[in-house]
Amino acid sequence: MTQQKKNYVLPIAMMFALFAMISFVTGLTNPLGLIVKEQFQAANWMTQLGNAANFIAYAFMGLPAGMMLKRIGYKKTALTAVAVGFIGVGIQVLSGQMDYQPGELTVFWIYLTGAFVSGFSMCMLNAVVNPLLNTLAGGGKKGNQLIQFGGSLNSISATIVPVLGGYLIGTISQDTRISDANPALFIAMGIFAVVFIVLAIMDIPEPHKESASDHKVKDTHSPLSFRHFVLGTVAIFVYVGVEVGIPNFINLFLTTSPDAAGAKGFGMDTAMAGSIVGTYWFLMMIGRLFGASFGAKISSKAMLSSAATVGMIFILIAIFAPATTKVSMPVFLSDISFGMVEVPVGIMFMALCGLCTSIMWGGIFNLAVEGLGKYTAAASGIFMVMVCGGGILPLIQGAVAD
Protein backbone atom coordinates (compact mmCIF):
# COMPACT_ATOMS: atom_id res chain seq x y z
CA MET A 1 0.00 0.00 0.00
CA THR A 2 2.86 2.38 0.83
CA GLN A 3 4.46 1.72 -2.54
CA GLN A 4 1.15 2.39 -4.30
CA LYS A 5 0.86 5.81 -2.67
CA LYS A 6 4.43 6.66 -3.69
CA ASN A 7 3.51 5.92 -7.30
CA TYR A 8 0.82 8.61 -7.08
CA VAL A 9 3.25 11.46 -6.36
CA LEU A 10 3.91 12.40 -10.00
CA PRO A 11 0.24 12.19 -11.12
CA ILE A 12 -0.78 14.31 -8.14
CA ALA A 13 1.93 16.87 -8.98
CA MET A 14 0.68 16.98 -12.58
CA MET A 15 -2.89 17.57 -11.39
CA PHE A 16 -1.62 20.42 -9.20
CA ALA A 17 0.08 21.97 -12.26
CA LEU A 18 -3.15 21.69 -14.25
CA PHE A 19 -5.02 23.34 -11.36
CA ALA A 20 -2.66 26.34 -11.63
CA MET A 21 -3.00 26.50 -15.42
CA ILE A 22 -6.82 26.57 -15.22
CA SER A 23 -6.66 29.65 -13.04
CA PHE A 24 -4.01 31.41 -15.15
CA VAL A 25 -5.98 31.15 -18.41
CA THR A 26 -9.35 31.89 -16.79
CA GLY A 27 -7.91 34.93 -15.01
CA LEU A 28 -6.81 36.54 -18.27
CA THR A 29 -10.45 37.44 -19.00
CA ASN A 30 -10.28 40.00 -16.18
CA PRO A 31 -7.67 42.43 -17.63
CA LEU A 32 -8.96 41.68 -21.15
CA GLY A 33 -12.40 42.85 -20.00
CA LEU A 34 -10.91 46.24 -19.13
CA ILE A 35 -9.36 46.46 -22.60
CA VAL A 36 -12.72 45.58 -24.17
CA LYS A 37 -14.34 48.44 -22.24
CA GLU A 38 -11.94 50.97 -23.76
CA GLN A 39 -11.32 49.55 -27.25
CA PHE A 40 -15.00 48.95 -28.05
CA GLN A 41 -16.46 51.63 -25.73
CA ALA A 42 -18.42 48.78 -24.18
CA ALA A 43 -21.01 48.88 -21.43
CA ASN A 44 -20.30 47.13 -18.12
CA TRP A 45 -22.23 44.01 -19.10
CA MET A 46 -20.22 43.69 -22.33
CA THR A 47 -16.93 43.70 -20.40
CA GLN A 48 -18.12 40.44 -18.84
CA LEU A 49 -18.82 38.70 -22.16
CA GLY A 50 -15.31 37.24 -22.44
CA ASN A 51 -15.67 35.84 -18.94
CA ALA A 52 -19.20 34.66 -19.80
CA ALA A 53 -18.03 32.93 -22.99
CA ASN A 54 -15.31 31.16 -21.01
CA PHE A 55 -17.70 29.86 -18.37
CA ILE A 56 -20.75 29.22 -20.54
CA ALA A 57 -18.54 26.82 -22.50
CA TYR A 58 -18.77 24.61 -19.39
CA ALA A 59 -22.51 24.20 -20.04
CA PHE A 60 -21.74 22.77 -23.49
CA MET A 61 -18.65 20.75 -22.62
CA GLY A 62 -19.43 19.42 -19.14
CA LEU A 63 -21.36 16.30 -20.14
CA PRO A 64 -19.05 15.43 -23.07
CA ALA A 65 -16.08 15.82 -20.69
CA GLY A 66 -17.61 13.29 -18.30
CA MET A 67 -18.19 10.88 -21.18
CA MET A 68 -14.59 11.35 -22.35
CA LEU A 69 -13.32 10.42 -18.87
CA LYS A 70 -15.23 7.15 -19.01
CA ARG A 71 -14.39 6.28 -22.63
CA ILE A 72 -10.79 7.46 -23.17
CA GLY A 73 -9.61 8.07 -19.59
CA TYR A 74 -8.01 10.94 -17.69
CA LYS A 75 -4.75 11.25 -19.64
CA LYS A 76 -6.21 11.48 -23.14
CA THR A 77 -8.92 13.85 -21.92
CA ALA A 78 -6.29 16.11 -20.35
CA LEU A 79 -4.14 16.05 -23.51
CA THR A 80 -7.17 16.98 -25.61
CA ALA A 81 -7.97 19.81 -23.19
CA VAL A 82 -4.45 21.23 -23.35
CA ALA A 83 -4.47 21.18 -27.16
CA VAL A 84 -7.87 22.90 -27.28
CA GLY A 85 -6.66 25.52 -24.79
CA PHE A 86 -3.65 26.32 -26.98
CA ILE A 87 -6.00 26.88 -29.93
CA GLY A 88 -8.40 29.02 -27.87
CA VAL A 89 -5.70 31.40 -26.63
CA GLY A 90 -4.26 31.46 -30.17
CA ILE A 91 -7.63 32.69 -31.50
CA GLN A 92 -7.55 35.53 -28.96
CA VAL A 93 -4.07 36.46 -30.15
CA LEU A 94 -5.37 36.42 -33.74
CA SER A 95 -8.19 38.82 -32.83
CA GLY A 96 -5.59 41.33 -31.65
CA GLN A 97 -3.72 41.16 -34.98
CA MET A 98 -6.75 42.06 -37.09
CA ASP A 99 -7.45 45.54 -38.40
CA TYR A 100 -9.97 47.30 -36.20
CA GLN A 101 -12.25 50.15 -37.16
CA PRO A 102 -14.28 51.99 -34.46
CA GLY A 103 -17.82 50.65 -34.33
CA GLU A 104 -16.90 47.43 -36.17
CA LEU A 105 -17.30 44.34 -33.97
CA THR A 106 -15.68 41.53 -36.00
CA VAL A 107 -12.57 41.67 -33.81
CA PHE A 108 -14.73 41.53 -30.70
CA TRP A 109 -16.58 38.42 -31.87
CA ILE A 110 -13.35 36.63 -32.76
CA TYR A 111 -12.00 37.48 -29.30
CA LEU A 112 -15.16 36.00 -27.75
CA THR A 113 -14.76 32.87 -29.89
CA GLY A 114 -11.26 32.42 -28.48
CA ALA A 115 -12.57 32.82 -24.94
CA PHE A 116 -15.32 30.28 -25.67
CA VAL A 117 -12.86 27.70 -27.05
CA SER A 118 -10.57 28.28 -24.05
CA GLY A 119 -13.58 27.55 -21.85
CA PHE A 120 -13.90 24.09 -23.44
CA SER A 121 -10.32 23.43 -22.35
CA MET A 122 -10.82 24.67 -18.80
CA CYS A 123 -13.96 22.55 -18.44
CA MET A 124 -12.18 19.36 -19.53
CA LEU A 125 -9.22 20.07 -17.25
CA ASN A 126 -11.48 20.68 -14.27
CA ALA A 127 -13.33 17.46 -15.07
CA VAL A 128 -9.98 15.65 -14.89
CA VAL A 129 -8.21 17.14 -11.88
CA ASN A 130 -10.98 17.22 -9.27
CA PRO A 131 -12.25 13.61 -9.32
CA LEU A 132 -8.73 12.23 -9.80
CA LEU A 133 -7.31 14.10 -6.80
CA ASN A 134 -10.35 13.16 -4.70
CA THR A 135 -10.05 9.48 -5.73
CA LEU A 136 -6.27 9.22 -5.23
CA ALA A 137 -6.70 10.58 -1.71
CA GLY A 138 -9.45 8.07 -0.92
CA GLY A 139 -12.33 10.59 -0.72
CA GLY A 140 -13.68 11.95 2.56
CA LYS A 141 -11.63 14.50 4.51
CA LYS A 142 -8.42 13.37 2.79
CA GLY A 143 -10.01 13.98 -0.62
CA ASN A 144 -11.04 17.48 0.44
CA GLN A 145 -7.53 18.11 1.77
CA LEU A 146 -5.85 17.17 -1.51
CA ILE A 147 -8.26 19.31 -3.55
CA GLN A 148 -7.54 22.23 -1.19
CA PHE A 149 -3.80 21.81 -1.81
CA GLY A 150 -4.45 21.89 -5.55
CA GLY A 151 -6.70 24.89 -5.04
CA SER A 152 -3.85 26.70 -3.26
CA LEU A 153 -1.76 26.50 -6.43
CA ASN A 154 -4.82 27.60 -8.37
CA SER A 155 -4.98 30.68 -6.14
CA ILE A 156 -1.26 31.41 -6.48
CA SER A 157 -1.72 31.47 -10.25
CA ALA A 158 -4.83 33.63 -9.92
CA THR A 159 -2.90 36.04 -7.67
CA ILE A 160 -0.21 36.45 -10.31
CA VAL A 161 -2.50 36.95 -13.33
CA PRO A 162 -4.06 40.38 -12.55
CA VAL A 163 -0.75 41.70 -11.23
CA LEU A 164 1.19 40.33 -14.20
CA GLY A 165 -1.52 41.47 -16.60
CA GLY A 166 -1.43 45.00 -15.20
CA TYR A 167 2.38 45.02 -15.46
CA LEU A 168 2.57 43.63 -19.02
CA ILE A 169 -0.37 45.59 -20.44
CA GLY A 170 0.37 48.83 -18.61
CA THR A 171 -2.11 51.66 -18.10
CA ILE A 172 -5.28 50.99 -20.06
CA SER A 173 -6.61 53.93 -22.09
CA GLN A 174 -8.78 54.46 -25.17
CA ASP A 175 -5.73 53.61 -27.28
CA THR A 176 -5.21 50.20 -25.64
CA ARG A 177 -5.96 47.21 -27.87
CA ILE A 178 -6.28 43.45 -27.38
CA SER A 179 -2.87 43.10 -29.05
CA ASP A 180 -1.36 44.86 -26.01
CA ALA A 181 -2.22 41.72 -24.03
CA ASN A 182 -0.12 39.53 -26.36
CA PRO A 183 2.77 39.05 -23.87
CA ALA A 184 0.38 37.52 -21.33
CA LEU A 185 -1.36 35.44 -24.00
CA PHE A 186 1.97 34.15 -25.36
CA ILE A 187 2.93 33.07 -21.83
CA ALA A 188 -0.33 31.09 -21.63
CA MET A 189 0.36 29.39 -24.97
CA GLY A 190 3.88 28.51 -23.85
CA ILE A 191 2.53 26.94 -20.67
CA PHE A 192 0.08 24.86 -22.70
CA ALA A 193 2.88 23.60 -24.98
CA VAL A 194 5.16 22.59 -22.08
CA VAL A 195 2.36 20.86 -20.16
CA PHE A 196 1.29 18.90 -23.25
CA ILE A 197 4.80 17.48 -23.67
CA VAL A 198 5.18 16.58 -19.98
CA LEU A 199 1.69 15.07 -19.78
CA ALA A 200 2.25 12.99 -22.92
CA ILE A 201 5.21 11.12 -21.39
CA MET A 202 3.66 10.66 -17.92
CA ASP A 203 1.59 7.73 -16.64
CA ILE A 204 -1.77 8.76 -15.18
CA PRO A 205 -3.99 6.36 -13.12
CA GLU A 206 -7.34 5.52 -14.76
CA PRO A 207 -9.66 4.55 -11.88
CA HIS A 208 -12.92 5.34 -13.70
CA LYS A 209 -12.19 4.34 -17.31
CA GLU A 210 -14.76 1.90 -18.68
CA SER A 211 -13.77 -1.37 -20.30
CA ALA A 212 -15.28 -2.54 -23.59
CA SER A 213 -17.72 -4.77 -21.73
CA ASP A 214 -18.93 -1.86 -19.57
CA HIS A 215 -20.14 -0.03 -22.69
CA LYS A 216 -22.72 -2.75 -23.30
CA VAL A 217 -24.26 -2.58 -19.82
CA LYS A 218 -27.07 -0.06 -19.47
CA ASP A 219 -27.22 1.44 -16.00
CA THR A 220 -30.61 2.33 -14.53
CA HIS A 221 -29.07 4.94 -12.24
CA SER A 222 -26.97 8.09 -12.71
CA PRO A 223 -25.24 10.68 -10.49
CA LEU A 224 -28.55 12.59 -10.45
CA SER A 225 -30.03 9.68 -8.47
CA PHE A 226 -28.10 11.01 -5.46
CA ARG A 227 -29.78 13.92 -3.66
CA HIS A 228 -26.54 15.27 -2.20
CA PHE A 229 -25.01 15.45 -5.68
CA VAL A 230 -27.98 17.41 -7.06
CA LEU A 231 -27.66 19.91 -4.21
CA GLY A 232 -23.94 20.14 -4.91
CA THR A 233 -24.54 21.12 -8.55
CA VAL A 234 -26.80 23.99 -7.43
CA ALA A 235 -24.22 25.10 -4.90
CA ILE A 236 -21.38 25.12 -7.42
CA PHE A 237 -23.42 27.21 -9.90
CA VAL A 238 -23.91 29.95 -7.32
CA TYR A 239 -20.44 29.65 -5.82
CA VAL A 240 -18.49 30.07 -9.07
CA GLY A 241 -20.61 33.10 -9.97
CA VAL A 242 -19.71 34.67 -6.64
CA GLU A 243 -16.03 33.73 -6.79
CA VAL A 244 -15.59 35.23 -10.27
CA GLY A 245 -17.95 38.18 -9.86
CA ILE A 246 -16.25 39.67 -6.79
CA PRO A 247 -12.78 40.29 -8.33
CA ASN A 248 -14.23 41.26 -11.71
CA PHE A 249 -16.33 44.03 -10.22
CA ILE A 250 -13.65 45.15 -7.79
CA ASN A 251 -11.51 45.77 -10.88
CA LEU A 252 -14.32 47.40 -12.85
CA PHE A 253 -15.34 49.76 -10.02
CA LEU A 254 -11.80 50.79 -9.14
CA THR A 255 -10.80 51.56 -12.75
CA THR A 256 -14.01 53.40 -13.71
CA SER A 257 -13.63 57.16 -13.67
CA PRO A 258 -15.87 58.79 -11.03
CA ASP A 259 -16.85 61.52 -13.48
CA ALA A 260 -17.88 59.16 -16.31
CA ALA A 261 -21.38 59.80 -17.62
CA GLY A 262 -23.86 58.18 -15.29
CA ALA A 263 -21.23 55.95 -13.71
CA LYS A 264 -19.69 55.70 -10.28
CA GLY A 265 -16.15 54.56 -9.78
CA PHE A 266 -12.84 55.26 -8.15
CA GLY A 267 -10.57 56.16 -11.07
CA MET A 268 -7.62 54.06 -9.91
CA ASP A 269 -4.62 53.13 -12.05
CA THR A 270 -5.12 49.77 -13.80
CA ALA A 271 -1.96 48.20 -12.41
CA MET A 272 -2.84 49.14 -8.83
CA ALA A 273 -6.42 47.90 -9.26
CA GLY A 274 -4.95 44.64 -10.56
CA SER A 275 -2.86 44.43 -7.40
CA ILE A 276 -5.98 44.73 -5.26
CA VAL A 277 -7.67 42.00 -7.30
CA GLY A 278 -4.48 39.97 -6.89
CA THR A 279 -4.83 40.44 -3.13
CA TYR A 280 -8.29 38.82 -3.29
CA TRP A 281 -6.75 35.78 -4.98
CA PHE A 282 -3.82 35.86 -2.54
CA LEU A 283 -6.29 35.64 0.35
CA MET A 284 -7.94 32.71 -1.43
CA MET A 285 -4.55 31.03 -1.45
CA ILE A 286 -4.17 31.64 2.29
CA GLY A 287 -7.62 30.19 2.93
CA ARG A 288 -6.93 27.13 0.82
CA LEU A 289 -3.63 26.52 2.58
CA PHE A 290 -5.61 26.61 5.83
CA GLY A 291 -8.13 24.18 4.35
CA ALA A 292 -5.33 21.91 3.17
CA SER A 293 -3.65 21.99 6.58
CA PHE A 294 -6.77 21.20 8.57
CA GLY A 295 -8.85 19.41 5.93
CA ALA A 296 -8.06 16.01 7.44
CA LYS A 297 -9.37 17.17 10.85
CA ILE A 298 -12.31 19.42 10.00
CA SER A 299 -15.27 18.14 7.99
CA SER A 300 -16.07 19.72 4.63
CA LYS A 301 -19.57 20.52 5.92
CA ALA A 302 -18.33 22.51 8.94
CA MET A 303 -15.70 24.30 6.86
CA LEU A 304 -18.17 25.22 4.14
CA SER A 305 -20.92 26.43 6.50
CA SER A 306 -18.52 28.68 8.44
CA ALA A 307 -16.98 30.21 5.31
CA ALA A 308 -20.38 30.92 3.73
CA THR A 309 -21.66 32.64 6.88
CA VAL A 310 -18.63 34.91 7.23
CA GLY A 311 -18.73 35.66 3.48
CA MET A 312 -22.34 36.85 3.71
CA ILE A 313 -21.42 39.19 6.56
CA PHE A 314 -18.50 40.66 4.55
CA ILE A 315 -20.71 41.24 1.49
CA LEU A 316 -23.44 42.92 3.56
CA ILE A 317 -20.83 45.30 4.98
CA ALA A 318 -19.55 45.98 1.43
CA ILE A 319 -23.09 46.76 0.23
CA PHE A 320 -24.05 49.17 3.00
CA ALA A 321 -20.69 50.82 3.77
CA PRO A 322 -20.54 54.36 2.24
CA ALA A 323 -18.27 54.53 -0.82
CA THR A 324 -16.87 57.79 0.55
CA THR A 325 -15.44 56.03 3.61
CA LYS A 326 -11.82 55.14 2.83
CA VAL A 327 -9.43 52.76 4.54
CA SER A 328 -5.79 51.81 3.97
CA MET A 329 -5.38 48.13 3.17
CA PRO A 330 -2.26 46.05 2.44
CA VAL A 331 -2.15 44.84 -1.17
CA PHE A 332 0.00 42.38 -3.09
CA LEU A 333 2.16 44.50 -5.47
CA SER A 334 3.76 43.62 -8.81
CA ASP A 335 7.25 43.53 -7.27
CA ILE A 336 6.10 40.63 -5.03
CA SER A 337 5.85 42.82 -1.94
CA PHE A 338 3.08 44.41 0.09
CA GLY A 339 2.13 48.08 0.27
CA MET A 340 -0.68 50.16 1.74
CA VAL A 341 -3.33 51.55 -0.63
CA GLU A 342 -6.36 53.69 0.19
CA VAL A 343 -9.62 52.16 -1.02
CA PRO A 344 -13.34 52.37 -0.14
CA VAL A 345 -14.01 50.24 2.93
CA GLY A 346 -16.46 48.12 0.94
CA ILE A 347 -13.69 47.13 -1.47
CA MET A 348 -11.56 45.91 1.43
CA PHE A 349 -14.36 43.65 2.66
CA MET A 350 -14.96 42.35 -0.86
CA ALA A 351 -11.27 41.45 -1.07
CA LEU A 352 -11.51 39.73 2.32
CA CYS A 353 -14.16 37.47 0.81
CA GLY A 354 -11.24 35.64 -0.77
CA LEU A 355 -10.71 33.98 2.60
CA CYS A 356 -14.28 32.68 2.44
CA THR A 357 -14.53 31.60 -1.19
CA SER A 358 -11.17 29.84 -0.85
CA ILE A 359 -12.32 26.48 0.52
CA MET A 360 -15.75 26.37 -1.12
CA TRP A 361 -14.85 24.65 -4.40
CA GLY A 362 -13.08 21.74 -2.70
CA GLY A 363 -15.72 21.43 0.00
CA ILE A 364 -18.66 21.45 -2.41
CA PHE A 365 -17.05 18.98 -4.83
CA ASN A 366 -15.99 16.65 -2.02
CA LEU A 367 -19.45 16.59 -0.46
CA ALA A 368 -21.22 16.28 -3.82
CA VAL A 369 -19.33 13.21 -5.09
CA GLU A 370 -18.93 11.40 -1.76
CA GLY A 371 -20.00 7.78 -2.12
CA LEU A 372 -20.72 7.96 -5.88
CA GLY A 373 -18.16 5.29 -6.76
CA LYS A 374 -18.42 4.30 -10.43
CA TYR A 375 -20.64 7.33 -11.11
CA THR A 376 -17.83 9.75 -10.19
CA ALA A 377 -16.60 10.37 -13.75
CA ALA A 378 -20.09 11.13 -15.07
CA ALA A 379 -20.76 13.23 -11.98
CA SER A 380 -17.68 15.32 -12.68
CA GLY A 381 -19.02 16.11 -16.15
CA ILE A 382 -22.43 17.18 -14.82
CA PHE A 383 -20.70 19.18 -12.10
CA MET A 384 -18.68 21.06 -14.74
CA VAL A 385 -21.86 22.01 -16.61
CA MET A 386 -22.96 24.03 -13.59
CA VAL A 387 -19.69 25.96 -13.48
CA CYS A 388 -21.33 28.11 -16.19
CA GLY A 389 -22.66 30.11 -13.24
CA GLY A 390 -19.28 31.87 -13.34
CA GLY A 391 -20.32 33.39 -16.67
CA ILE A 392 -24.04 33.89 -16.12
CA LEU A 393 -24.11 35.56 -12.70
CA PRO A 394 -21.41 38.20 -13.42
CA LEU A 395 -23.21 38.99 -16.70
CA ILE A 396 -26.38 39.68 -14.73
CA GLN A 397 -24.40 41.76 -12.23
CA GLY A 398 -22.95 43.80 -15.09
CA ALA A 399 -26.45 44.52 -16.41
CA VAL A 400 -27.54 45.57 -12.91
CA ALA A 401 -24.47 47.85 -12.67
CA ASP A 402 -25.47 49.52 -15.95
Side-chain angles (χ1 to χ4, degrees), residues 300-314 353-360:
S300 298
K301 181 178 180 180
M303 203 181 289
L304 187 61
S305 301
S306 300
T309 301
V310 175
M312 285 190 288
I313 293 172
F314 284 169
C353 284
L355 291 170
C356 305
T357 56
S358 60
I359 57 88
M360 289 184 176

Side-chain angles (χ1 to χ4, degrees), residues 30-31 34 162 246-256 270 273-274 277:
N30 196 322
L34 301 180
I246 288 174
N248 281 8
F249 285 95
I250 287 178
N251 213 355
L252 195 59
F253 174 79
L254 289 177
T255 56
T256 299
T270 306
V277 172

